[in-house]
Structures are given as structure tokens and as C-alpha cells.
Amino acid sequence: TLQRLKDTGLIQSEQGAKGGYVLAKDLEEVSLGEFIGMMEGPISVVHCALGTSGTQTQACEYQNKCEMTDIMQSLNSRIETFLKGIKLSELTRAETAFALEAVAHPEVRTELSSV
């Protein structure tokens, strides 16, 4: 997994006693959609929906006759657009805000842990 992220340029390795992996890109530059793509490959609700970027993938023998193909491709496109609109920096801010709220209001943390 780390090698895949390194290959995409998201992280880089540093040598030495304090070496390891560090972010190579600002979290403001990477969308959630791009990150998921780096980790999992193309996002698709069903195989035939991968054709949204202009390259149609023949997922099954019925695809040319299937009434759901266009709907699934539209849904997939909307999901991609939504995920690409969220920057990783937003997720870290949301997590930090949630953690601070839980510290400030322990009753919230108790309520959430019982869910």
C-alpha cells in the first residue's frame, strides 16, 4: 500500500535514523476521489459504469441492451464528482473539530460510543 502511494507521488520516503514516509503533496491538493483511486483503482458502482470517462468497458453481454447502463453511469459520474470535490485537508479539519468537541463535551462521546 505504501509503495502504491509512493508511486502516485502522494508520499515519499526519507532515509536515515528518523526516516520513513512523509507526505509529498499538500492535503489541499488531493481530493478524496483521487485518494480512493490511488488506493482502490477506479470508482464504480457497477462494472459497466466505468465508461463515464469516455472509455466504455464491456462489463457483460447485455450492456448494449441494458436500460440501467446510462443510469448507473450517471450515478457513478455524480459520485466521482462528489468525491473529487472533497479535499483531504477538509477531512482532517473535520476529524480535529470532532475530537475537540468530544473533549469539550464528554457526554457527546458517551452517546456516540453507545451507538
Side-chain angles (χ1 to χ4, degrees):
T1 302
L2 289 176
Q3 185 62 46
R4 189 177 317 148
L5 293 176
K6 185 178 175 193
D7 291 343
T8 63
L10 181 63
I11 62 172
Q12 62 188 26
S13 60
E14 291 192 351
Q15 303 296 321
K18 295 184 180 184
Y21 289 95
V22 296
L23 287 172
K25 293 183 179 180
D26 188 315
L27 294 180
E28 191 66 38
E29 297 175 21
V30 183
S31 74
L32 179 58
E34 291 168 320
F35 181 74
I36 292 171
M38 291 174 192
M39 296 296 294
E40 303 292 333
I43 298 168
S44 180
V45 290
V46 291
H47 286 54
C48 63
L50 285 172
T52 58
S53 63
T55 57
Q56 186 66 23
T57 302
Q58 191 69 25
C60 73
E61 62 185 281
Y62 303 107
Q63 185 172 344
N64 293 332
K65 299 178 247 175
C66 180
E67 294 179 20
M68 295 300 293
T69 300
D70 290 341
I71 294 169
M72 290 295 113
Q73 287 178 346
S74 176
L75 174 61
N76 203 68
S77 179
R78 289 176 184 196
I79 292 170
E80 287 176 342
T81 300
F82 176 76
L83 293 174
K84 287 181 179 177
I86 300 170
K87 299 297 181 189
L88 292 183
S89 60
E90 293 175 58
L91 297 178
T92 59
R93 284 192 302 266
E95 182 178 302
T96 302
F98 180 76
L100 291 173
E101 185 69 22
V103 169
H105 301 284
E107 67 279 4
V108 172
R109 184 175 55 222
T110 304
E111 291 172 16
L112 291 173
S113 64
S114 64
V115 174

